[in-house]
Amino acid sequence: MVHFFLFFFPSLENFFSRLLVEPPHPVPLLLRPCIWPSSSAHRFSLSNSETRSIATMNAAARFRPLANMLVARNSRLIVPRQIFGRGFKPQSIQSFRRGFASGATIPQPRPKKRFRILRNAWRLTLGLTFLGAGWLAYSIYETRFPHEQIEPDPAKKTLVILGSGWGSVALLKKLDTENYNVVIISPRNFFLFTPLLPSCPTGTVEHRSIMEPLRHIIRHKRASVKFYEAEATKIDNERRVVVINDLSDVKGDVHQTEVPFDYLVVGVGAENATFGIPGVREHACFLKEIGDAHKIRKTVMDCIETAMFKNQTQEEKERLLHMVVVGGGPTGVEFAAELQDFFEDDLKKWIPDIADDFHVTLVEALPNVLPMFSKTLIEYTEKTFKDEKISVRTKTMVRNVTDKHIEAEVTHPDGRKELQRIPYGCLVWATGNAVRQVVRDLMSQLPQQKNSRRGLAVNEYLVVNGTDGVWALGDCSATKYAPTAQVASQQGAFLARLFNSMARTQNLESELNHLEELSTQAKIQEDRESLEREIQKKSKAIRRVKQLSPFEYSHQGSLAYIGMERAVADITWFNGNLASGGSLTYLFWRSAYLSMCFATRNRVLVLMDWMKVKVFGRDVSSSFQCGKMKLARPI
């Protein structure tokens, strides 16, 4: 309690310490009742010198609030006995007197070092959590409330971009749209994150989670961009126009028109390749668009429910529950793994009658699956599929497809070939790309494209051979690189830098021409010299801008999910490759795909889908198309 008293009267500390050291003479009568209290309250009459001292201390004490039960009146200080409490004893005063008499402060115990690392780690985690929450809130706010856009300038050149795939969207995101009048033409008004498309048919990820509306991307550009949901049916290079058709179910008075262009970027991608095999387009399900994922989902669930139909034969039941995936690339491997996980985690639990007959088979014409990965990862993938009871049939080439079975030519290890019939309930075709009709039509107009088979032949700057002001990227272009999303994305970023540098060059050249005119008209020598210096600076800037190196693809690695919460990764590491597989690689696969999503909205939705499946499991109901759903008759 004495410490409490000194807290409110720090100016009395030295005086109080002298009181405790010296014997009780008449001088320090002020605090004597604090040490030897004999009644509930004591009052003292002070001398003139003591009164002056007390007045000085009272003046200083007015700046601090007095403690409860302490009263200062003129030259009197009332200290109640109750301030010391019931347990007050003279021994405590003696110990207190010795402490102040020594003049040394009481040593404080050192803080314990135990759990210091854990406390610091918790503080760091808490701080990072608050920073992440703040960043997420800002990202959501920025996405929800776009800024005002600049209206297009008719005097600037028109840049038309065909398609909404990886290449076109990467170009649009990095392009300075205020330098051009940009027009986007695509039959779909969204960007599809295709690496997670194999997870959609099984319900691991909802299709809306991997779709980013093009309107969101366009609205966040500095200058406004026009978008037409239509299909480009013809590119007239001589007239510099693109013919587009409206393919929506709702049509207006005008559903076909022409769009002129100064610059054109062709990024329409490729369509599914059937390699001329009969029956593929009629009976197989493809896996390239959102509609394909819906069709696969409905077909798989229809096969299961039909197999459970009353009096179904065992042979027919085994056929219906046999799912065949053709294509040993990343798409086919990931879908086979997702389908097997769907069966093991959910279907077998809710429909136990199919546990002994459900089977997944992966068919590949090459000697092994995932040919772009290292041999170690290929062997690891095949071993994992064997543990998951997924049949892998390599060196098996499909020759014919019917509604109930496929005819495949199997090459045995001794080189002998045999034609086999493989029954199936659902057939998924996940291999091959073919050139679209609009690209073939443009190739027929250009003599320089007569030897090209895979797509539009381009030079090192992605300019279509035989054209001026027409570029091609992605799966519709024929380059020395594999037609992957990673290649198309880097091509789009390269073209964005190219168009930005072209616009800057044009601006610098116009400024240079203006300076040259002023230099010729200048009459004063000093003005002419100043203009010459500015002309030299602009000329150097133009040379720097024009020094754009050709496109070079930088391979970042390959990832694939192989089921049982395992994945394989072949990552470029400095001058070599880092091959990895297993559960930790699976976490890396998920984090990499999550970071590759273009928008914060998609990242949050995908993460929520994964958490939802982990907690509640996948849905086992059939999806349907509202236009084809039959309404039941009322009873």
Side-chain angles (χ1 to χ4, degrees), residues 374-387:
S374 63
K375 184 178 180 180
T376 304
L377 295 180
I378 292 173
E379 294 175 353
Y380 178 75
T381 302
E382 293 177 350
K383 180 181 179 301
T384 303
F385 273 18
K386 185 177 180 180
D387 296 339

Side-chain angles (χ1 to χ4, degrees), residues 547-613:
Q547 290 177 355
L548 182 65
S549 58
F551 173 73
E552 285 291 338
Y553 168 63
S554 175
H555 183 64
Q556 304 298 322
S558 302
L559 297 170
Y561 177 64
I562 59 175
M564 294 177 60
E565 295 189 349
R566 300 177 186 176
V568 290
D570 200 349
I571 308 298
T572 302
W573 186 263
F574 293 101
N575 295 328
N577 288 347
L578 178 62
S580 175
S583 300
L584 292 178
T585 309
Y586 166 73
L587 297 177
F588 174 75
W589 171 82
R590 280 203 162 183
S591 61
Y593 278 4
L594 200 64
S595 63
M596 288 169 61
C597 292
F598 277 179
T600 304
R601 166 184 170 274
N602 297 107
R603 297 188 187 100
V604 174
L605 291 177
V606 170
L607 188 60
M608 292 175 63
D609 289 341
W610 286 339
M611 295 173 61
K612 180 180 64 177
V613 169

Side-chain angles (χ1 to χ4, degrees), residues 283 285 295-309 312-313 316-324 339 347 351 354 357-359 403-404 423-428 620 622-623:
H283 305 293
C285 299
K295 183 179 178 181
I296 293 172
R297 169 76 178 196
K298 185 176 186 303
T299 304
V300 170
M301 297 310 301
D302 286 348
C303 287
I304 293 174
E305 298 298 342
T306 304
M308 295 294 100
F309 197 75
Q312 198 73 265
T313 62
E316 184 66 8
K317 184 178 179 180
E318 292 177 356
R319 181 191 70 82
L320 289 169
L321 296 177
H322 187 203
M323 311 297 164
V324 178
L339 190 57
L347 291 176
I351 315 176
I354 68 174
D357 300 318
F358 190 89
H359 190 59
D403 58 341
K404 292 186 177 182
Y424 71 90
C426 176
L427 175 63
V428 178
V620 295
S622 300
S623 62

Side-chain angles (χ1 to χ4, degrees), residues 65-271:
L66 290 174
N68 294 334
M69 304 174 64
L70 296 180
V71 182
R73 296 177 183 174
N74 298 329
S75 60
R76 296 178 180 181
L77 180 65
I78 302 174
V79 184
R81 177 187 179 89
Q82 289 82 351
I83 196 171
F84 296 97
R86 294 182 179 179
F88 179 80
K89 294 181 179 180
Q91 290 82 356
S92 60
I93 299 177
Q94 297 298 330
S95 61
F96 186 77
R97 181 183 301 171
R98 287 194 298 268
F100 272 92
S102 63
T105 58
I106 300 176
Q108 298 293 332
R110 291 186 179 181
K112 296 181 179 180
K113 296 184 178 180
R114 234 183 314 174
F115 308 119
R116 181 179 296 178
I117 297 178
L118 295 179
R119 286 196 300 269
N120 293 336
W122 165 249
R123 292 168 183 167
L124 179 61
T125 304
L126 194 62
L128 292 177
T129 302
F130 279 113
L131 287 177
W135 173 83
L136 180 62
Y138 175 76
S139 300
I140 295 174
Y141 175 81
E142 192 178 29
T143 302
R144 289 279 294 151
F145 301 99
H147 53 75
E148 295 296 328
Q149 291 183 309
I150 303 173
E151 291 300 323
D153 185 3
K156 295 183 178 180
K157 294 187 176 181
T158 301
L159 171 61
V160 176
I161 303 175
L162 302 182
S164 58
W166 283 89
S168 300
V169 172
L171 165 61
L172 180 62
K173 277 186 169 288
K174 297 183 179 297
L175 179 67
D176 295 336
T177 54
E178 63 271 16
N179 296 325
Y180 302 93
N181 295 320
V182 184
V183 179
I184 309 294
I185 301 172
S186 176
R188 65 185 190 193
N189 63 351
F190 58 89
F191 165 75
L192 180 63
F193 188 75
T194 52
L196 289 177
L197 185 61
S199 302
C200 285
T202 60
T204 305
V205 173
E206 296 294 333
H207 66 280
R208 291 287 179 186
S209 301
I210 60 174
M211 297 165 56
E212 183 180 2
L214 279 180
R215 298 290 184 180
H216 287 184
I217 303 174
I218 291 172
R219 187 63 181 82
H220 283 85
K221 300 302 294 183
R222 184 175 179 183
S224 60
V225 177
K226 291 184 179 180
F227 170 72
Y228 302 126
E229 187 181 48
E231 181 182 14
T233 57
K234 184 179 178 60
I235 300 173
D236 194 335
N237 186 44
E238 294 183 358
R239 296 175 52 226
R240 313 290 285 183
V241 295
V242 178
V243 181
I244 60 175
N245 286 341
D246 183 8
L247 300 180
S248 62
D249 296 333
V250 180
K251 297 187 182 298
D253 295 336
V254 179
H255 55 84
Q256 181 176 356
T257 185
E258 295 180 349
V259 178
F261 65 87
D262 296 307
Y263 300 133
L264 176 66
V265 177
V266 183
V268 296
E271 61 184 13

